[in-house]
Amino acid sequence: MRKTKKSIYLATLMLGAALLLGGCGGSLAANDSTPTPSKETATKQAKPDDQPVSKPPAKQVIAIPSDPASLAVLVNKQRALPSGYKPADLVQPDVPFSSWGKDEKKLMRKEAAQALEQLFAAAKKQGIELVAVSGYRSYERQQATYESALRRKGKESTAKYNAVPGHSEHQTGLAMDVSARSVGLRLVESFAATAEGRWLADHAHEFGFIIRYAKGKEDVTGYGYEPWHIRYVGKEIAQEIKSRGIVLEEYYSVSPK
């Protein structure tokens, strides 16, 4: 009897220990309310590619001025001036010209004329002598110039350097063709290689002018390279165009056609 009681007592202790161990294991599983992530989920959460990526701001498109009198107006083969347009503030800048006497081609818009005087004065201080050749042209004069070019050079060559009437920057009063005695006061591409041409290309933007028809941009502007043709747009725009190496069409994000 004593042996049987001892056996029962040992069996009871072993059963209680087993229940206690089983209960601890079960209570941990039951009380853990956080789900264990699967291997796929853990991998996905760890991937940096799944983090939200901030998008760069949209490129700002600058509106093309609708006012033909704007100093930043865009005139090219696709964009014409209104019929009969003539600037109201044309004056003759006090600079050397290649011709004598009065002539409308010596005129420019007042602000552009003042800027041209400053440009020529700065060049002279550095030993550079620039000469103005042709500024404002009325619609009628541009028509005569265009028709003369057609007769002399043919359609293809004319389209490369001469604007159709109404599409000429000269009619805005903001453009001036510039030359030098080193090239016989002619409007030729070799002007770019002269001391005068290099100085103009390097410093025109400081006075609000751009080389309107730049080299390598013929497909954008629609015209051949003209190192002599400067266009007033104001210092802010001119400096941006110069620093970015672009032309006026690209400044306005206009695609060539």
Side-chain angles (χ1 to χ4, degrees), residues 77 146 149-150 153-162 222-224:
K77 289 187 174 182
Y146 183 78
L150 278 177
K153 302 186 297 182
K155 188 175 181 179
E156 184 176 348
S157 180
T158 297
K160 190 175 180 180
Y161 294 103
N162 298 89
Y223 292 100

Side-chain angles (χ1 to χ4, degrees), residues 9 117 182:
Y9 174 74
E117 291 173 353
S182 58

Side-chain angles (χ1 to χ4, degrees), residues 196-222:
E196 297 88 352
R198 292 195 299 270
W199 189 94
L200 186 65
D202 290 341
H203 298 280
H205 67 283
E206 297 170 7
F207 303 89
F209 289 93
I210 58 174
I211 304 298
R212 179 64 178 92
Y213 305 116
K215 190 173 185 178
K217 299 290 185 177
E218 293 85 353
D219 290 342
V220 181
T221 64

Side-chain angles (χ1 to χ4, degrees), residues 10 27 37 75 113 138 140 144 149 163 193 207 215:
L10 290 174
S27 64
V75 178
S138 64
E140 292 75 19
F207 303 89
K215 190 173 185 178

Side-chain angles (χ1 to χ4, degrees), residues 78-239:
Q78 290 75 43
R79 297 181 62 86
L81 290 164
S83 178
Y85 173 75
K86 181 179 180 179
D89 58 346
L90 292 170
V91 298
Q92 181 173 322
D94 185 13
V95 298
F97 278 90
S98 61
S99 59
W100 298 96
K102 286 188 175 182
D103 196 323
E104 74 168 21
K105 72 178 184 179
K106 293 184 176 182
L107 304 178
M108 291 188 83
R109 296 273 305 275
K110 186 176 181 179
E111 184 174 330
Q114 293 172 341
L116 190 75
E117 291 173 353
Q118 295 169 6
L119 185 150
F120 273 49
K124 190 174 182 179
K125 284 183 179 179
Q126 297 186 31
I128 299 295
E129 186 180 356
L130 299 173
V131 180
V133 177
S134 182
Y136 170 71
R137 288 183 210 149
S138 64
Y139 180 96
E140 292 75 19
R141 185 166 194 158
Q142 183 64 29
Q143 186 171 30
T145 300
Y146 183 78
E147 290 175 355
S148 173
L150 278 177
R151 291 191 297 270
R152 291 183 292 107
K153 302 186 297 182
K155 188 175 181 179
E156 184 176 348
S157 180
T158 297
K160 190 175 180 180
Y161 294 103
N162 298 89
V164 173
H167 290 261
S168 173
E169 274 205 334
H170 286 280
Q171 192 179 341
T172 68
L174 298 170
M176 179 63 75
D177 292 335
V178 177
S179 189
R181 287 181 170 80
S182 58
V183 289
L185 303 179
R186 295 172 298 151
L187 302 178
V188 290
E189 191 172 321
S190 58
F191 172 69
T194 66
E196 297 88 352
R198 292 195 299 270
W199 189 94
L200 186 65
D202 290 341
H203 298 280
H205 67 283
E206 297 170 7
F207 303 89
F209 289 93
I210 58 174
I211 304 298
R212 179 64 178 92
Y213 305 116
K215 190 173 185 178
K217 299 290 185 177
E218 293 85 353
D219 290 342
V220 181
T221 64
Y223 292 100
Y225 174 40
E226 295 187 1
W228 61 83
H229 181 111
I230 59 175
R231 156 70 196 277
Y232 185 75
V233 291
K235 290 183 180 180
E236 183 177 348
I237 296 177
Q239 288 170 1

Side-chain angles (χ1 to χ4, degrees), residues 42-51:
T43 302
K44 185 176 181 180
Q45 290 175 346
K47 288 177 63 178
D49 294 344
D50 291 330
Q51 300 301 319

Side-chain angles (χ1 to χ4, degrees), residues 29-46:
N31 292 334
D32 188 4
S33 58
T34 304
T36 302
S38 64
K39 183 177 180 181
E40 181 182 355
T41 303
T43 302
K44 185 176 181 180
Q45 290 175 346

